[in-house]
Every structure is written in structure tokens, then in C-alpha cells.
Amino acid sequence: MYKSILFVFSLFLVFSSNIKAQYTMPTLNYGYADLEPYIDAQTMEIHFSKHHQAYLNNLNNAVGNTLTGSIPLEELLITAEKRGAAVQNNGGGHYNHSLFWNILSPTPKTAPTGNLSVAITEYLHSTDSLKRLMNAEASKRFGSGWVWLYVTPYKTLAVSSTANQDNPIMDAAGNKRGIPILGIDVWEHAYYLKYQNKRGDYLTSIWNVIDWEAVEKNYAEALKSPILKLIEKDNWVELKEFHKVMAQTFHPMQAGKFDPIKTRSKEMADKAKLLKESNIPASFQTDDIKKALKKLAEEAKELDKIISKKAKDDEVRASLNKLHDTFHLIQGLCNH
Ligand code: MN3
């Protein structure tokens, strides 16, 4: 009896620890005063222990009662906009600040070398022009936001700025997506106590504490990261459009409701054709995927045909199941 109570209790612990949010504060590798005179101690303390802590708490509250809390933060951010403002703002706030603390140092490496230096020269001309570009983007950013150096899904480097706590990983970043390797916080809370309204002075100053060794490490990790492919896939509009119709027709059919598929089979066939003819993102251009897309278009057309001939529910179910399997085959191939 005692053992079975213990067993149930440990099961409870396992489940509740899965459900509990798991995002935590990073460790700061330096003291609040160590970045002076470029960033003052009071700003650092409030920024880290109040602002960042609040983003983290709010993120954990937002995902705390769902299994979402066990998803790696980057994966959560890919679909941040879809997950709602609490995840978008606080998930972004937590991610962005964690990156920011890490690329700052009281004893920074003052210039990039190696692969990163080569890539900066190739895509942004020089480190000086990169700094000018980032500072210009930051000065143009109206209100609060961030400016980024990021690795695109095509493994090139690019500069962008985003509003609020958005970042390039997010769906909210439109066609400027990738993995950030250097970010500058241009919220007033990052500089107002020392620089007041002079954002330009803060921007000039901050380069003195940006540690290129940390940026180089981020660059090497970004190039290897599976997140780049996930972003590329998430930006494949035709795939997403097809997926939407599939989800909105397949799941009702599983619950015995055939109306959605019967009224939308033509739309699904059209979306499958558009998907087949779409620009397949570079990393998904394999013969297997092309073959599966062709199969998907044929099967969707066939399903539409049998529905227009008033087929029985069983026939519709079999045909939609087959189409659903083919779609998952494509999804699976994309994840390799
Ligand atoms: Mn901030």
C-alpha cells in the first residue's frame, strides 16, 4: 500500500515537473559595476534583476500551465506571434536579454577574427560598416526595440532591427529571419539613467564592451543549429497554407464531421497544386520531397473528384487519410 502511494506520488512529481515552466535566469559573468564607464552599475542592476527577471516571470506564468514550458525557447519563438502577446513579448524579452548579457564583457575581444571576420567582410563589407549599419538601424528604430546581426537560413549574415521584444527567430520578423548572434537593446531602460535621450552616445559607447569572442561562438553555433531549417520551413508560405486546410478538415473528419472536407476539397486541391509549384526552400530541394509534393497534388485532386461525385463517408475517410499520410511524409522529410 505504502509503495503504491509512493509510486503515485512520484508519478505526480514527474508530471508536475513536466508541466511546470522551466525557463530560468542566466548567470551574469561579471558584476553590475564592471561595464563602467560604458554602462553604469545602477542601469545594469535594474536591467538584469528587475526588467529581465520580470520578462522571465511573465513568460513562466504564460506557459506555466501548459506543456509549452518543456519546449526549447528557440522553438517556442519560431511561432511566437501565433502563441499570443504574452509569449511573444516575454519569451522574446527573456531570449534577447540572455543573449545581450552574454555578448557584453568588461574584458572584451575587441575585433572579430577567423570565420566570422571573413563572413562580415563578405556580406557586410567590414566591421566598421557593420557597426555603422547597426547604429543607423538603431537610430531609426522608433520607440523600443533591438538591432541585430543574424545568420539567415542561407547561412549569410544580415542586419535588422525589430520592435518591442521581437527578434529574427520569430514569425513576427517576416522575411528578415534567422538566428541572432549579436543584439543591442535600444529600449530606454538600457541607457536612460546615464545617457538620457542621447541614444546615439549609448550606441557609440556600447561597442567598447561588446565581446567578439562571444559573438564568434554564437556564429559557430548558429551555423550548426537545426533552428535555421525550422525557420526556413516556417517561411514556406504554401506549405503553411496547405497545412491549415488539412488541419481544419482532417481533425473534424476524425471526430465524424465530414462537412469541412466536403466543402473545402476543391480549396485543398488548389493549395496542394500551389504547394507543388511553389519555390521549394533550398534545403528541402530533394527528389524525395519533389516526388511527395507531386503525389500530394494528385491525391488532393482525386479526393476532390470523389467528393464531387458524392462518395460515401468511408471512401472520403480513406482518401483523406491517405492524403494526410502523404502530407506527414513531406513534413517528416523536411525535418531531416
Ligand atoms: Mn532591455
Side-chain angles (χ1 to χ4, degrees):
M1 178 65 185
Y2 174 71
K3 266 193 177 161
S4 63
I5 290 174
L6 203 67
F7 176 70
V8 170
F9 182 66
S10 51
L11 264 186
F12 168 77
L13 280 184
V14 168
F15 278 105
S16 61
S17 64
N18 274 341
I19 292 167
K20 281 268 154 54
Q22 58 171 5
Y23 305 112
T24 53
M25 285 296 277
T27 353
L28 210 53
N29 297 322
Y30 40 83
Y32 292 138
D34 292 351
L35 302 179
E36 291 199 351
Y38 308 109
I39 304 178
D40 62 284
Q42 196 188 4
T43 294
M44 276 303 297
E45 181 170 1
I46 296 172
H47 201 175
F48 183 82
S49 70
K50 298 286 189 280
H51 290 286
H52 186 167
Q53 186 71 55
Y55 292 122
L56 178 80
N57 295 348
N58 292 336
L59 171 66
N60 283 335
N61 285 337
V63 299
N65 297 320
T66 69
L67 284 175
T68 313
S70 57
I71 297 178
L73 186 57
E74 288 88 345
E75 280 180 41
L76 192 75
L77 296 184
I78 288 176
T79 50
E81 199 173 29
K82 276 200 234 48
R83 293 174 191 273
V87 169
Q88 184 176 351
N89 293 333
N90 297 297
H94 175 45
Y95 180 92
N96 298 348
H97 287 91
S98 301
L99 177 104
F100 188 55
W101 311 131
N102 192 246
I103 55 145
L104 298 177
S105 167
T107 52
K109 178 173 173 178
T110 53
T113 57
N115 292 340
L116 179 60
S117 159
V118 172
I120 288 174
T121 308
E122 182 172 357
Y123 301 113
L124 298 154
H125 189 60
S126 67
T127 307
D128 278 345
S129 64
L130 161 68
K131 289 180 186 174
R132 274 199 302 273
L133 193 59
M134 286 186 75
N135 286 3
E137 284 286 327
S139 312
K140 276 190 298 191
R141 167 58 50 200
F142 181 77
S144 301
W146 289 76
V147 55
W148 306 102
L149 171 66
Y150 66 98
V151 178
T152 73
Y154 309 102
K155 308 205 168 167
T156 65
L157 287 178
V159 165
S160 74
S161 100
T162 54
N164 306 320
Q165 293 295 348
D166 290 355
N167 69 44
I169 296 178
M170 291 182 183
D171 42 4
N175 60 0
K176 294 186 173 175
R177 295 183 73 181
I179 299 179
I181 59 172
L182 191 174
I184 299 175
D185 189 345
V186 292
W187 282 59
E188 281 186 349
H189 68 221
Y191 61 85
Y192 199 83
L193 292 180
K194 181 176 170 72
Y195 297 94
Q196 287 88 44
N197 59 325
K198 296 183 276 274
R199 188 188 273 184
D201 291 357
Y202 158 71
L203 290 168
T204 312
S205 207
I206 196 161
W207 291 103
N208 292 299
V209 282
I210 286 180
D211 180 20
W212 286 99
E213 194 171 326
V215 183
E216 282 168 11
K217 205 166 147 253
N218 291 344
Y219 178 57
E221 277 168 15
L223 289 177
K224 289 185 299 195
S225 171
I227 297 294
L228 287 181
K229 264 187 108 170
L230 292 178
I231 290 173
E232 199 179 9
K233 187 173 150 201
D234 195 58
N235 265 7
W236 190 357
V237 179
E238 292 84 356
L239 185 77
K240 279 213 277 199
E241 288 290 307
F242 180 85
H243 193 175
K244 226 187 282 168
V245 187
M246 174 57 85
Q248 292 166 356
T249 55
F250 180 74
H251 299 299
M253 181 278 283
Q254 281 184 305
K257 294 191 188 94
F258 284 81
D259 275 359
I261 185 56
K262 286 183 178 172
T263 50
R264 297 181 72 183
S265 61
K266 172 77 169 64
E267 184 190 354
M268 182 122 83
D270 290 345
K271 297 255 154 98
K273 185 164 178 278
L274 284 175
L275 176 57
K276 188 188 80 178
E277 290 163 359
S278 66
N279 286 320
I280 302 171
S283 25
F284 306 130
Q285 286 181 15
T286 66
D287 287 347
D288 282 349
I289 287 184
K290 284 179 198 161
K291 223 160 57 188
L293 289 176
K294 198 166 159 246
K295 190 165 173 241
L296 189 83
E298 284 163 8
E299 289 176 1
K301 202 169 148 192
E302 180 60 28
L303 173 61
D304 183 46
K305 209 162 102 192
I306 69 164
I307 284 175
S308 69
K309 287 184 182 161
K310 311 261 183 264
K312 292 203 178 75
D313 285 356
D314 280 350
E315 268 183 275
V316 173
R317 180 186 294 115
S319 179
L320 182 53
N321 273 332
K322 198 163 85 175
L323 185 66
H324 182 255
D325 286 348
T326 304
F327 179 64
H328 273 275
L329 175 73
I330 296 166
Q331 290 272 37
L333 287 168
C334 289
N335 292 340
H336 285 177

